[in-house]
Amino acid sequence: MTHPSPYLMNAWYVAATADEIGTDGMLHRKILGTSVVLYRSEDGSPVALHDRCPHRFAPLSMGRREGDALVCPYHGLKFNSAGACVHNPHGKGVVTKALAVRSFPVVEKHGFVWIWMAEEAADHALLPDYSPLDEGHENGVARTYMKLPVNYRLILDNVMDLSHVDHVHGEIISTRGQLSPLFPDVQETESTVSAAWEWQQTPPMLILNQFLPRPEEEARHWIQVNWSAPGNIQLSLYCAQDDTPVKEGPGQYDLHSVTPEDEFSTHYFFATRRNHIEDDAEYNAMKIRAMHDAFENEDGPVIAACQREMGERDFFAMNPVLMSNDLAAVKMRRRLQGLIEAENSAAITLEAAE
Ligand code: FES
Ligand SMILES: [Fe+2]
């Protein structure tokens, strides 16, 4: 990677949902501007290789699989799952060291395949832990993927600032105007920023009220978003009535995870686990479809239009008017930028010393 990099490199990004990568076929996906081919080896473990043959740069994903190896579609070089060339059908069949493709460390966790794109050795301690997604009935959790034509920060801003909910989204997650006036409780560390909102509304949020004792009556609500660098936001939403502590009422534990395709296009991954009617497969399928639709057809068009207005300009350089609802998103952006700049200046120092 050339420096300065616009991305935080020493980090794990979601490359795909586990379901997107099968034991047959290959998945091409551009990640942080680099073409990657993803597949599963015959033992089921995920593999990620640079999707570019070192000969004349044909994407290997256009070729074919031979067991765990990939055969280039153009002149037939064959590469194993570690990226080493194992067959050259040309001339004397010499295989030099240069005849190799880069392989990227991947880990399957929480129903996603996470990829390490930095040249530095993968740091497994940096893999985030969202284990509540894994706890409970298999029909109580669902995942989805979409691609949005925006810089990934616009999606992070959107989730960090939930004051948009009543203005952008439909009836089922309306807070009846309660959320926008609130100042969230914002907390931060070097690589995390969280914001929490608490309010009461009547009727309660329609995605949850049918699971409350009295669906039409007032309930206390609590939402928290918790960003971790570079692109993960864990969101929790609960509501309760009477003496039930709010976090023990009906609710859900979600993960929004963004991976830049490039600077102006983003892979948007989402997972949600609920604590009610957990075994209901039909409800699970309906709910993830509704949430996917809300992100793609309600948030998506607004932030894509913002991106078109912004063009390739930097957000802060455009002098945005900031309001009370921007606090968590602005802190998140500053933390992220600080981490990217620190990584870039460490890389420059290292290059200068070499
Ligand atoms: S481009 Fe792959 S073998 Fe020629
Ligand atoms: Fe939204």
Side-chain angles (χ1 to χ4, degrees):
M1 179 48 100
T2 50
H3 293 285
S5 161
Y7 312 112
L8 192 69
M9 296 304 298
N10 286 280
W12 293 91
Y13 289 89
V14 175
T17 65
D19 295 349
E20 286 183 289
I21 307 179
T23 36
D24 295 330
M26 295 166 266
L27 175 72
H28 163 86
R29 186 152 281 162
K30 200 191 262 187
I31 296 173
L32 313 189
T34 296
S35 288
V36 175
V37 53
L38 293 145
Y39 64 101
R40 253 178 225 287
S41 59
E42 286 174 337
D43 70 4
S45 49
V47 177
L49 299 177
H50 194 185
D51 198 9
R52 178 185 289 175
C53 179
H55 176 224
R56 296 186 77 89
F57 316 125
L60 298 176
S61 59
M62 277 179 70
R64 65 173 200 281
R65 289 186 57 167
E66 266 185 22
D68 288 350
L70 301 187
V71 180
C72 177
Y74 202 175
H75 312 96
L77 287 174
K78 181 154 84 167
F79 302 92
N80 69 14
S81 58
C85 182
V86 290
H87 181 60
N88 173 4
H90 301 275
K92 292 185 179 156
V94 176
V95 171
T96 62
K97 238 182 151 190
L99 271 189
V101 289
R102 185 168 166 207
S103 92
F104 300 94
V106 277
V107 172
E108 192 162 350
K109 193 175 180 189
H110 306 323
F112 293 111
V113 173
W114 302 75
I115 191 165
W116 179 268
M117 298 295 290
E119 274 156 26
E120 290 79 354
D123 183 349
H124 288 261
L126 292 177
L127 250 181
D129 181 17
Y130 297 112
S131 38
L133 286 174
D134 302 335
E135 290 157 12
H137 197 285
E138 60 175 336
N139 293 336
V141 67
R143 297 170 191 84
T144 193
Y145 161 75
M146 73 206 77
K147 189 154 88 171
L148 295 181
V150 297
N151 179 275
Y152 67 105
R153 290 177 179 84
L154 294 197
I155 301 176
L156 296 173
D157 288 340
N158 172 267
V159 182
M160 289 306 281
D161 171 16
L162 294 173
S163 70
H164 74 274
V165 162
D166 286 350
H167 311 285
V168 168
H169 293 297
E171 185 70 356
I172 59 166
I173 54 171
S174 171
T175 75
R176 317 274 149 203
Q178 300 297 310
L179 205 135
S180 291
L182 298 178
F183 291 85
D185 175 22
V186 176
Q187 307 285 337
E188 60 188 316
T189 69
E190 197 188 345
S191 59
T192 68
V193 176
S194 70
W197 295 258
E198 274 185 88
W199 72 99
Q200 310 197 352
Q201 71 176 77
T202 316
M205 240 186 218
L206 300 187
I207 45 163
L208 294 174
N209 75 332
Q210 52 195 298
F211 308 105
L212 284 164
R214 293 180 310 284
E216 296 308 317
E217 293 179 22
E218 184 178 75
R220 286 166 283 120
H221 291 64
W222 176 81
I223 287 191
Q224 186 181 53
V225 289
N226 200 339
W227 167 80
S228 294
N232 301 306
I233 300 177
Q234 194 275 309
L235 181 151
S236 296
L237 162 65
Y238 295 92
C239 63
Q241 291 170 325
D242 308 319
D243 297 333
T244 307
V246 71
K247 292 172 209 171
E248 290 173 22
Q252 63 194 69
Y253 176 100
D254 299 347
L255 174 64
H256 296 254
S257 189
V258 294
T259 301
E261 174 175 57
D262 57 32
E263 287 195 68
F264 299 102
S265 178
T266 300
H267 304 295
Y268 188 172
F269 298 94
F270 175 71
T272 180
R273 173 169 282 287
R274 65 184 184 284
N275 64 1
H276 43 280
I277 55 168
E278 285 183 71
D279 57 352
D280 190 330
E282 208 176 309
Y283 183 85
N284 202 34
M286 184 274 294
K287 182 163 179 181
I288 193 71
R289 256 197 320 274
M291 298 200 75
H292 180 111
D293 273 6
F295 304 145
E296 192 162 54
N297 301 323
E298 293 174 1
D299 296 297
V302 177
I303 59 175
C306 295
Q307 182 72 70
R308 285 195 298 276
E309 283 301 317
M310 291 170 68
E312 298 196 356
R313 284 171 289 224
D314 172 68
F315 174 70
F316 288 118
M318 289 180 74
N319 257 330
V321 175
L322 296 173
M323 307 190 295
S324 61
N325 53 321
D326 292 302
L327 184 64
V330 166
K331 282 183 183 293
M332 177 276 297
R333 274 180 176 261
R334 296 223 160 105
R335 292 284 171 191
L336 179 58
Q337 200 51 31
L339 292 166
I340 293 172
E341 280 167 17
E343 197 177 81
N344 279 329
S345 58
I348 288 163
T349 314
L350 207 68
E351 273 163 25
E354 277 165 5

